[in-house]
Amino acid sequence: MEAETKGVVIKTEKTLIDEEIARVNRELNELGDTGQEFASSAKQGKRNNVDLSKELNLQATPQLIEEPVFLTPTQIKTVKRDLSQVIKSGIHLLDKRIMGFNKGELSVWSGSNGSGKSSILSQLAIESIENNFKVALYSGELRADRVLNWVQLQAAGIKNVTGTKYENFYTVPEGIRAKINEWLESSLYIYNNDYGARVENVLKAVTDSIEKFKIDVVIIDNLMSLDLTGVTGEKYDKQTNLVIALSQLAKKKNIHIHFVAHPRKSLGFLRKQDISGTADITNLADNVFLIHRCNTDFKKGIMEHLGVNKDNLLLKFDNVIEVAKNRDLGIADEFIGAYYEKESKRFLNSIGEEKHYFWERDKNGFIGADNTEIPFKN
């Protein structure tokens, strides 16, 4: 009798559970798409230990091939490099040293606070667009409108910005902003931070944008702003999982990814090993760049560590881009100077350099110039 009673109780509990599941399903069906989105969101909220490579379907699919495992020189096909697909930085010496940024590669950028990381990356976005490449940009620290303001200043240049009563705050006139936005409209895609910073969601949005908008360049600024709680492993395992996924994404989608990782320390002479997180971040990257601001700490550090004397021309610049690693050409420990223009937030090759982007061209492809820009005039 006792066993029968237990059997009845168990059956009753199961029935109640089934009825509750059926009720929830009915409510979700009544809600339609909204309910489905809610259910999907709830499911994602419970998800743990995500393997980003599997989540984004980045792992290589095994294929049966009828070729030798090891190839002799005559069996290896020569692949001619398509230089039209190398993405220039616009920093002349940097492009001369590394040719530009190759598709299928991952670049890691680091630098102390105020060194110019965000400035150089947004400028790289503009340069990419100027050369007919499309860009997707994630900034975990700035809202989309702030990112766009930054880009507009750099695209406008010093002659097209307006000062304010605040020393370091400049704006772009409405008419010029409209022209710049029209130029950028189908080439620049800025992530909407209202969708959150969970890394699996951000990277899923990025991969979708690559397919939908034919993206060539992805900028992710930065590691510390991404929520890695749902990723497999402990702290450093999570970071490795992320960098592996970024490297695989760059190769599988044939794009270039720029990824920002902050340094562990903000003072002194920054070196590659000072980049915060696992060593896999720099080991897996194809390129590693350090952005230095030519302040007292940098000047002291470069003289002490590299034997540079105080009269070295490198110390005359406002910022220095260090190529700490370039796997393609084997470049390392190369220092490239640049001047910083605070009004436009541009990095310049020379003091007073004026670069005109495509938005300034008229319908015939010409760029207007005032008398000060005409080298020969009566």
Side-chain angles (χ1 to χ4, degrees):
M1 186 71 177
E2 187 175 333
E4 291 178 4
T5 303
K6 284 185 178 179
V8 171
V9 171
I10 292 171
K11 182 178 180 181
T12 302
E13 287 179 346
K14 183 177 184 303
T15 302
L16 290 173
I17 291 171
D18 289 341
E19 289 177 352
E20 179 65 14
I21 292 172
R23 182 187 66 77
V24 171
N25 286 333
R26 284 196 303 273
E27 290 181 357
L28 290 175
N29 288 332
E30 291 173 1
L31 287 171
D33 291 339
T34 303
Q36 291 175 15
E37 290 174 5
F38 173 81
S40 175
S41 175
K43 183 180 178 182
Q44 289 178 359
K46 294 179 181 178
R47 206 165 50 191
N48 287 314
N49 296 326
V50 172
D51 183 329
L52 291 174
S53 295
K54 291 180 180 178
E55 179 80 4
L56 301 173
N57 193 29
L58 296 175
Q59 293 178 320
T61 303
Q63 295 181 348
L64 294 175
I65 55 175
E66 296 180 358
E67 290 187 8
V69 176
F70 290 93
L71 301 171
T72 66
T74 57
Q75 292 173 322
I76 299 173
K77 297 176 182 178
T78 300
V79 178
K80 186 177 181 180
R81 178 172 296 197
D82 184 359
L83 294 181
S84 69
Q85 293 302 300
V86 177
I87 305 161
K88 301 297 184 182
S89 71
I91 305 297
H92 298 161
L93 283 178
L94 180 60
D95 290 332
K96 184 177 180 180
R97 293 288 190 277
I98 67 169
M99 295 175 62
F101 305 106
N102 298 315
K103 286 189 172 184
E105 292 187 355
L106 169 66
S107 290
V108 169
W109 295 79
S110 191
S112 302
N113 290 336
S115 61
K117 297 185 296 297
S118 295
S119 293
I120 188 65
L121 287 171
S122 59
Q123 187 164 325
L124 291 179
I126 298 171
E127 290 291 334
S128 300
I129 293 167
E130 177 72 2
N131 289 283
N132 298 315
F133 296 103
K134 295 185 177 183
V135 179
L137 193 158
Y138 164 82
S139 173
E141 296 182 349
L142 295 175
R143 300 193 313 260
D145 61 308
R146 295 284 181 88
V147 174
L148 181 58
N149 287 342
W150 203 301
V151 170
Q152 288 168 340
L153 282 169
Q154 290 182 313
I158 190 170
K159 287 197 171 183
N160 293 305
V161 302
T162 303
T164 67
K165 65 180 181 179
Y166 302 102
E167 184 178 353
N168 293 310
F169 181 60
Y170 298 85
T171 62
V172 180
E174 179 63 34
I176 293 175
R177 279 197 287 123
K179 289 182 180 180
I180 292 172
N181 287 349
E182 183 180 359
W183 170 55
L184 297 173
E185 181 60 24
S186 297
S187 298
L188 178 64
Y189 299 88
I190 301 171
Y191 181 76
N192 183 351
N193 285 340
D194 289 344
Y195 282 89
R198 289 188 60 154
V199 67
E200 59 267 39
N201 295 341
V202 171
L203 292 191
K204 179 63 167 60
V206 167
T207 55
D208 289 346
S209 74
I210 293 167
E211 297 296 330
K212 185 175 181 180
F213 305 122
K214 308 301 180 186
I215 296 298
D216 303 288
V217 179
V218 170
I219 297 172
I220 299 178
D221 185 8
N222 56 64
L223 169 63
M224 299 303 293
S225 68
L226 290 168
D227 179 1
L228 303 180
T229 53
V231 181
T232 299
E234 301 299 325
K235 178 181 177 180
Y236 291 136
D237 295 329
K238 294 174 187 285
Q239 294 176 355
T240 297
N241 193 326
L242 168 59
V243 179
I244 289 173
L246 291 176
S247 179
Q248 291 175 333
L249 179 61
K251 290 175 174 59
K252 185 169 184 178
K253 300 298 184 181
N254 193 34
I255 61 173
H256 194 95
I257 297 179
H258 296 284
F259 178 55
V260 177
H262 288 310
R264 294 190 187 91
K265 57 185 180 181
S266 58
L267 298 176
F269 186 46
L270 178 66
R271 309 312 302 133
K272 185 175 70 172
Q273 60 268 26
D274 295 325
I275 295 176
S276 182
T278 171
D280 291 329
I281 292 177
T282 55
N283 291 339
L284 290 166
D286 298 281
N287 308 290
V288 178
F289 302 98
L290 305 177
I291 305 297
H292 303 280
R293 186 177 178 182
C294 288
N295 55 21
T296 302
D297 286 328
F298 172 74
K299 292 177 181 179
K300 180 181 178 182
I302 199 170
M303 286 189 285
E304 288 180 355
H305 291 271
L306 301 181
V308 171
N309 64 58
K310 63 180 181 180
D311 297 321
N312 191 290
L313 293 177
L314 196 64
L315 304 183
K316 307 297 181 184
F317 292 97
D318 297 314
N319 295 79
V320 170
I321 301 169
E322 179 183 351
V323 183
K325 174 185 177 181
N326 173 254
R327 181 175 287 150
D328 182 25
L329 301 179
I331 306 297
D333 300 325
E334 288 275 352
F335 294 81
I336 291 103
Y339 298 98
Y340 183 71
E341 189 174 77
K342 67 176 183 179
E343 295 87 351
S344 68
K345 297 186 183 294
R346 284 184 181 182
F347 281 89
L348 309 178
N349 291 290
S350 58
I351 296 175
E353 177 190 26
E354 293 183 20
K355 177 159 186 174
H356 299 279
Y357 290 104
F358 193 86
W359 70 266
E360 294 186 80
R361 299 182 185 182
D362 61 25
K363 62 182 181 180
N364 296 315
F366 294 104
I367 295 174
D370 59 31
N371 287 337
T372 62
E373 295 178 288
I374 301 174
F376 304 105
K377 59 181 184 292
N378 295 330

